[in-house]
Structure formats: C-alpha cells, structure tokens
C-alpha cells in the first residue's frame, strides 16, 4: 500500500528533495558570503532572521493564496519567486536587499510546503499517513544536509552557486507542474487562541517557541560561526551537514522512547544532553581534530528532534477537534521564536565573540530543560496509554506544522478519513 502511494506522489518527493538541497545550500552560502563581504554581525543576524519571518508570514497567508488560485498555480508562482530571489543576491550585494530577498524566500518556501503537505494528506490514508509524513521529513532533512556539499562546487565569491541554486529550484517544479495527479481540496483551519493553548498544553507551546529559536540560531548563524572560527568552505559545509544528520538519526529513536514514558521526561533528558554538548562545543571550539564534528553530531541529535516531541506532547493534551486549529497557534509562536533567534545570536557574537554561538544554544537548551522538569514535577503524570503515537515531523524552517488531515466536510471526491491515532483527549 505504501509503495503504491509513494509511486503516485514521486514528483512531489523529487521536488521536495531538490528544494531541500537548495534551501540547505542557500542558507550556508549566504552566511559565508556575508562574512566574505564584511557584513556587520548584526546585519547578518537580521538578514538570517528575515527568512524565518518570511516563513511565518507565508505559512499564515498560504491558505488564502491556495484557495484563491489553486495548488498548481500557487506552486508555480512560488517556485518562480524563490528562484528569482536567490539570483538577486548575486546581482545586488547589500545586506538590506539581501534581507528583503530572504524574507521573500521564506514566504515562498513555507507556502510551497503547505501545498506539498496538503497533497500528501490527500494521497495517504490512516494506514500510510504516518509513514508517508516520516518519509517527507527524512527527504527534507536529507536534502538540507546534502545541500551543504553544493558549497564545494564553486567559489562562494562568484555568482555560479547562486545560479545553480536558482536552476535547481526551477527544476524541482517541473515534475509537479506536469503531473496528472489531482490536487487536494484545501480548507483553512479554525484557530485556537494562544491563551487557550497555553492553558491546555503549556509545555508544548513554550517548547515550540524555544526549540524553533534554537533551530534557527543553529542553522541561521552556524555558517557565520564556522567562518569566524577559521573553517574552510568544505569544513563549514561538513559542520552544518553533521548537525542536520544528527537530528535525522535520533528523531525516530527519541520519538519511540517518548511513546513508552512521559514525553516531558524524554524532552528534559534530550534538552539536558543538548545543553552538555553545547557547553562542550563552546569550550572545545574547533581544536582537537574531528572532536568538534562529533560534538556537533551529538548536539544535533539531542536538540533537533525536540520539536517533534513538543508537537506530539501538545497533541496528547488536545481534543480531536482542536488539533488543526492549534497548529496555527504553534506556528505563530514557533515562527516568532525562529524570527528572533539568529538576531539574538548575532548580538551575543558581536559582544563576546564566536564562542558565544554555542553558549547561546546552551542557554536555550537550559531553558527547555528547566521548563520541562518544572512541568513534569508540578503537573499530573501522563501515562503512555494516554499519549498519541509519535510521528516524525519536520522542524519549523523545513515545513509547516499544518500536517493534519482535512476535516471531512472540506474533502471532495476522494475523502481521507480523519486520523484517530494522532490525538487523544486528556
């Protein structure tokens, strides 16, 4: 059953994998090029934050765009926008212009993911949805990590890498735009207020803000940190790739462990491990051979899977009819965290040097640890039988959290029954 579904949506997986390559390469390329151009640290932090602000705006506006012009037209226009913005970086080398282009890139990419995820939800049924979305997440993280190695194709000072990324984004759209697979119906979710969500699922809401800020810090300013530490382009690409690979490898084991015990315990343990590895990375720096890569792998493996755990924990505490609306609140809060994260790191690095990159990540991991422990001790224990089954999820800068099936009244000719295995009431 799964292989038939994958065959039916192979153009989508191809496109998403290529777009992942482009987004991974583009973020690191801009960090390296900003250093080569002598951009101020604060300016670099702001332009990196602009991507996540655009991502937030795009995720919020995408439903209206799709409802107005349809999936195919929306996808074509958004890929054209993403392809154009990367080319502007190579023509106008200015931090303010780059900031605007990064915002537009984030807007386009987030809306592309809303199109893709609603397509996947229509293609799947209850037996294959979790596996299909897991493949989606793995495809995106593999693309992001693989994209780092595109940096070695050409000199970051030249225009060739920008042109290559633009070409690949255009290539990603071709199979999707010519496929005969019908696009799904789309219905905007009825939102759940942030205050209501905090009252129902405080750990998930606070954690969404913290982990998205942490993720954006790591990927938004990681290349700048590595450049300041004297790494060559090949070493920078490997460093960022190792961070992502660590998160990809540990996503499933930590998720399955959280199915067997209180998720807050797993979150606290993983966040504490991230704290230890971040502190060690700050102290060790890039000295001592490949030790910094091992620490990067361990930090990524303990930190990046936390978003999926927070999402699963939130779903555990929601009624079934609240899940879709709660996604909007999580997206908003997580987007705010991701938008300010890189700028916060740039302030720290500007004041205390590049080592404050990992000290900032350690501080965020410490906040996640403290909050999870506090809620674990003060809130009633949740048994594993009250928890929903874990599903791998893409982190905020990779895909939106709007992965829930459409409500029955929004589906058309080929309805997808709503999943009953992802949420449970408390």
């Amino acid at each position: 059953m799964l292989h038939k579904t994958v065959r039916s949506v192979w153009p989508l997986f191809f496109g998403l994998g290529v777009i992942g390559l482009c987004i991974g390469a583009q973020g690191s390329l801009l960090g390296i090029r900003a250093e080569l151009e002598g951009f101020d640290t604060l300016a670099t932090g702001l332009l990196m934050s602009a991507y996540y602000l655009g991502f937030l705006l795009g995720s919020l506006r995408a439903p209206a765009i799709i409802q107005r012009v349809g999936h195919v037209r929306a996808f074509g226009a958004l890929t054209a926008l993403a392809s154009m913005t990367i080319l502007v970086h190579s023509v106008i080398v200015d931090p303010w212009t780059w900031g605007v282009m990064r915002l537009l890139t984030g807007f386009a990419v987030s809306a592309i993911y809303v199109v893709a995820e609603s397509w996947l939800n229509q293609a799947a049924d209850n037996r294959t949805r979790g596996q299909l979305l897991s493949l989606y997440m793995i495809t995106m993280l593999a693309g992001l990590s693989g994209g780092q190695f595109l940096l070695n194709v050409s000199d970051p000072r030249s225009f060739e890498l920008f042109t290559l990324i633009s070409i690949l984004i255009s290539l990603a759209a071709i199979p999707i735009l010519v496929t005969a697979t019908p696009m799904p119906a789309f219905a905007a979710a009825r939102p759940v207020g942030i205050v209501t969500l905090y009252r129902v699922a405080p750990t998930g809401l606070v954690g969404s803000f913290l982990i998205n800020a942490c993720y954006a810090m790591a990927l938004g300013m990681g290349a700048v940190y590595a450049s300041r530490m004297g790494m060559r382009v090949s070493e920078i690409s490997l460093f960022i790739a190792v961070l992502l690979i660590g998160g990809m490898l540990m996503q499933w084991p930590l998720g399955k462990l959280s199915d067997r015990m209180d998720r807050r315990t797993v979150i606290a343990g993983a966040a504490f491990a991230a704290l230890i590895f971040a502190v060690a990375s700050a102290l060790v720096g890039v000295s001592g051979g490949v030790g910094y890569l091992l620490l990067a792998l361990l930090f990524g493996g303990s930190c990046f899977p936390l978003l999926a755990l927070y999402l699963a924990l939130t779903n555990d505490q929601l009624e079934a009819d609240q899940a879709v609306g709660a996604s909007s609140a999580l997206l908003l809060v997580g987007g705010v965290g991701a938008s300010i994260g890189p700028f916060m790191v740039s302030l720290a690095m500007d004041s205390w040097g590049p080592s404050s990159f990992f000290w900032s990540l350690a501080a965020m991991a410490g906040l996640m640890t403290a909050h999870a422990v506090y809620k674990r001790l003060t809130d009633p224990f949740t048994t594993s039988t009250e928890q929903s089954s874990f599903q791998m999820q893409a982190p905020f800068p990779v895909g939106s959290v709007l992965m829930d099936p459409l409500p029955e009244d929004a589906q058309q000719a080929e309805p997808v029954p709503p999943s009953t295995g992802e949420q449970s009431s408390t």
Side-chain angles (χ1 to χ4, degrees):
M1 178 65 71
L2 178 63
H3 69 278
K4 292 182 180 178
T5 304
V6 172
R7 279 206 307 269
S8 71
V9 296
W10 74 264
L12 181 61
F13 277 104
F14 172 81
L16 290 173
V18 174
I19 289 175
L21 283 171
C22 297
I23 300 307
Q26 181 182 357
S28 297
L29 172 60
L30 293 180
I32 295 170
R33 183 66 180 269
E35 285 295 294
L36 295 174
E37 297 292 341
F39 286 3
D40 181 79
T41 305
L42 298 182
T44 303
L46 280 173
L47 72 90
M48 290 302 179
S49 290
Y51 173 82
Y52 302 106
L53 177 60
F55 199 102
L56 169 62
L57 296 175
S59 297
L60 295 175
R61 291 298 304 161
I65 295 173
I66 296 170
Q67 286 179 321
R68 185 166 60 250
V69 303
H71 285 75
V72 174
R73 288 182 180 178
F75 195 96
L78 292 164
T79 51
L81 176 61
S83 179
M84 177 199 72
T85 55
I86 187 60
L87 287 178
V88 174
H89 289 86
S90 65
V91 177
I92 306 176
V93 183
D94 172 75
W96 292 106
T97 302
W98 281 22
V100 174
M101 292 302 104
R102 285 292 282 169
L103 187 144
L104 292 175
T105 299
F107 182 95
V109 170
S110 67
I112 285 172
Y113 291 142
V114 174
V115 174
E117 290 162 10
S118 59
W119 186 355
L120 287 177
N121 269 320
Q122 190 234 22
D125 57 26
N126 288 348
R127 292 170 293 177
T128 62
R129 181 170 290 110
Q131 299 172 77
L132 199 63
L133 293 180
S134 295
L135 288 175
Y136 162 73
M137 198 284 305
I138 291 171
T139 299
M140 289 307 306
L141 283 183
L144 282 172
S145 56
Q148 307 306 316
F149 299 105
L150 289 179
L151 300 176
N152 301 298
V153 171
S154 183
D155 188 344
R157 295 178 180 84
S158 68
F159 67 89
E160 282 91 350
L161 281 174
F162 294 98
T163 304
L164 174 61
I165 293 170
S166 177
I167 291 172
L168 288 175
I169 290 177
S170 300
L171 173 65
I174 294 174
I176 296 173
L177 295 178
V178 300
T179 183
T181 303
M183 287 292 177
F186 188 90
R190 183 174 59 186
V192 173
I194 292 177
V195 174
T196 300
L197 186 58
Y198 180 78
R199 188 165 57 246
V200 175
T203 307
L205 188 67
V206 173
S208 180
F209 175 86
L210 294 174
I211 188 57
N212 277 293
C214 192
Y215 185 96
M217 286 177 176
L219 294 190
M221 295 297 288
V224 176
Y225 159 79
S227 180
R228 294 279 177 91
M229 296 299 288
M231 295 187 200
R232 299 187 299 272
V233 172
S234 59
E235 294 171 327
I236 295 173
S237 63
L238 182 60
F239 171 71
I240 302 298
V242 164
L243 281 172
L244 289 163
I245 291 170
M248 186 168 58
L249 292 176
M250 290 303 297
Q251 182 100 33
W252 189 259
L254 285 177
K256 297 308 289 183
L257 179 62
S258 75
D259 280 344
R260 293 173 169 81
M261 56 193 303
D262 193 308
R263 292 199 208 277
R264 294 167 297 183
T265 302
V266 179
I267 289 171
F272 183 71
L275 167 63
I276 297 300
F277 297 134
V279 169
S281 296
L283 295 175
V284 171
V286 297
S287 61
V290 297
Y292 76 96
L293 289 177
L294 177 60
L295 288 173
L297 182 75
L298 293 172
F299 174 79
S302 54
C303 181
F304 288 177
L306 285 171
L307 177 56
L309 301 185
Y310 280 124
L311 291 175
L313 178 63
T314 302
N315 277 336
D316 292 340
Q317 298 169 304
L318 295 174
E319 300 290 343
D321 60 356
Q322 293 178 306
V324 176
S327 294
S328 297
L330 286 175
L331 180 64
L332 177 61
V333 171
V336 171
S339 298
I340 67 176
F343 181 63
M344 291 170 58
V345 171
S346 71
L347 289 174
M349 292 175 65
D350 191 54
S351 300
W352 300 297
S355 65
S356 58
F357 169 76
F358 270 113
W359 286 116
S360 300
L361 294 177
M364 298 303 291
L367 289 173
M368 287 186 281
T369 303
H371 187 260
V373 169
Y374 170 73
K375 299 306 292 184
R376 176 68 179 82
L377 294 176
T378 58
D379 283 356
F381 177 76
T382 302
T383 66
S384 59
T385 58
E386 295 172 313
Q387 297 182 164
S388 58
S389 297
F390 171 81
Q391 281 192 2
M392 296 175 73
Q393 299 275 1
F396 174 84
V398 178
S400 79
V401 296
L402 300 174
M403 286 186 169
D404 305 275
L406 294 174
E408 288 184 7
D409 58 1
Q411 299 171 11
Q412 295 180 347
E414 297 179 14
V416 180
S419 172
T420 58
E422 295 181 24
Q423 300 97 9
S424 61
S425 61
T426 56

